[in-house]
Amino acid sequence: MSEAASDVLVERRGAVTWITINREARRNALNEQVVRTIDQAIAAAVGDGVSRAIVITGAGDKAFCAGADLAKNVQGFAFAVDFARPKHYIVDLFKRLQECTLPVIARVNGHVMAGGFGLLCACDLAIAADDIRIGTTEPKIGVTPMMILPYMMRVLPPRRLQEMCITGEQFTAQDALDWGVVNYVVPRAELDAKLDWLLARITDKSPTALRLGKQAFSATRDMSLREALEYAQAMVPVMSSTQDAREGMTAFQEKRAPNFTGN
């Protein structure tokens, strides 16, 4: 197993692909190899024809993800930019998450900092242990959370986000719940039970409906109201013509559980 592979564990549990950042000693920090491996794992899950959801988490119970690995590179800097490459690898991952047709759930098992918070915000849903803390630590080391800002702006209330970006102060799991950053906060001992409960409510649904629904959510969020209504109107016959939609209606009329195939 390569170092990159051992730093990210990928396994399928039934209809769910689990992606675990396996760098507990480094607080599950991100580097290029880790990010690219996560990117590839998401692409593989979307294409395997079996997975109906993706879970992203961190190893251990101290950190979900501490953000970018600040270990110095050979030039003596923690941050390296290749000006010959127009796209950063974290942007590639965020775009992959944006286009992912499977629901992605963050299992927030520990503290979430900096780029790890951007990863959390890029997921569709999140369940957090009640003793975690979240923050953007960048201001404390002389930078600002630039790369993750677009996703944070989609999730956090503007005033709260501005305060975080200026002060670098942390907030609690309860704050995250109150501000809509996470869907559920539970005692640590109940984290996996709550995750299983949520996954059961996802994996029994039509993969086609979830796929089209995610596409519509992503598309209409950036549209004007008029554009969104036109888009929705055009998508209704597309959605209604799928095999899963016909199966769902038939099952409802026959008073039985639907057998969705994802077509």
Side-chain angles (χ1 to χ4, degrees), residues 2-219:
S2 68
E3 182 180 350
S6 63
D7 281 349
V8 180
L9 304 179
V10 182
E11 60 177 321
R12 195 167 66 234
R13 304 181 187 179
V16 181
T17 291
W18 279 64
I19 302 173
T20 303
I21 306 170
N22 189 37
R23 307 185 75 211
E24 190 173 358
R26 299 292 301 168
R27 297 177 63 81
N28 298 320
L30 302 171
N31 58 29
E32 182 172 358
Q33 287 184 319
V34 168
V35 170
R36 294 202 182 282
T37 304
I38 295 172
D39 188 331
Q40 293 163 7
I42 294 170
V46 170
D48 67 18
V50 177
S51 297
R52 295 196 175 187
I54 296 171
V55 170
I56 296 180
T57 191
D61 58 9
K62 293 183 179 179
F64 170 77
C65 177
D69 193 333
L70 298 183
K72 292 182 179 180
N73 58 27
V74 292
Q75 286 82 31
F77 297 99
F79 299 100
V81 177
D82 184 351
F83 293 104
R85 299 172 65 182
K87 287 197 301 182
H88 195 277
Y89 53 85
I90 196 69
V91 173
D92 289 337
L93 175 58
F94 284 165
K95 286 184 176 179
R96 177 79 67 186
L97 286 162
Q98 179 78 3
E99 297 167 1
C100 179
T101 54
L102 297 175
V104 182
I105 301 94
R107 174 187 176 271
V108 189
N109 55 300
H111 299 325
V112 187
M113 300 296 159
F117 185 40
L119 179 59
L120 165 61
C121 290
C123 293
D124 299 307
L125 305 171
I127 299 177
D130 61 359
D131 57 350
I132 68 156
R133 296 191 70 83
I134 301 176
T136 51
T137 54
E138 289 90 341
K140 296 183 178 181
I141 60 170
V143 294
T144 194
M146 192 68 67
M147 199 74 75
I148 63 175
L149 187 60
Y151 265 108
M152 292 194 301
M153 292 183 73
R154 291 172 178 265
V155 174
L156 269 145
R159 296 283 187 183
R160 295 296 186 184
L161 175 57
Q162 187 74 290
E163 182 178 357
M164 286 179 62
C165 291
I166 292 172
T167 67
E169 293 176 0
Q170 300 173 14
F171 59 94
T172 67
Q174 186 59 50
D175 291 331
L177 182 64
D178 293 343
W179 301 342
V181 175
V182 300
N183 298 82
Y184 302 98
V185 169
V186 296
R188 178 170 295 279
E190 300 174 17
L191 182 62
D192 285 333
K194 190 66 174 180
L195 177 60
D196 289 343
W197 168 83
L198 180 59
L199 288 170
R201 296 170 62 216
I202 294 172
T203 55
D204 68 340
K205 302 304 187 297
S206 160
T208 303
L210 292 176
R211 185 164 56 243
L212 293 175
K214 281 203 63 178
Q215 175 183 314
F217 187 89
S218 177

Side-chain angles (χ1 to χ4, degrees), residues 233-251:
Q233 177 177 267
M235 286 299 295
V236 168
V238 173
M239 181 174 57
S240 301
S241 67
T242 66
Q243 292 182 24
D244 272 4
R246 292 195 293 268
E247 165 62 13
M249 290 300 299
T250 301

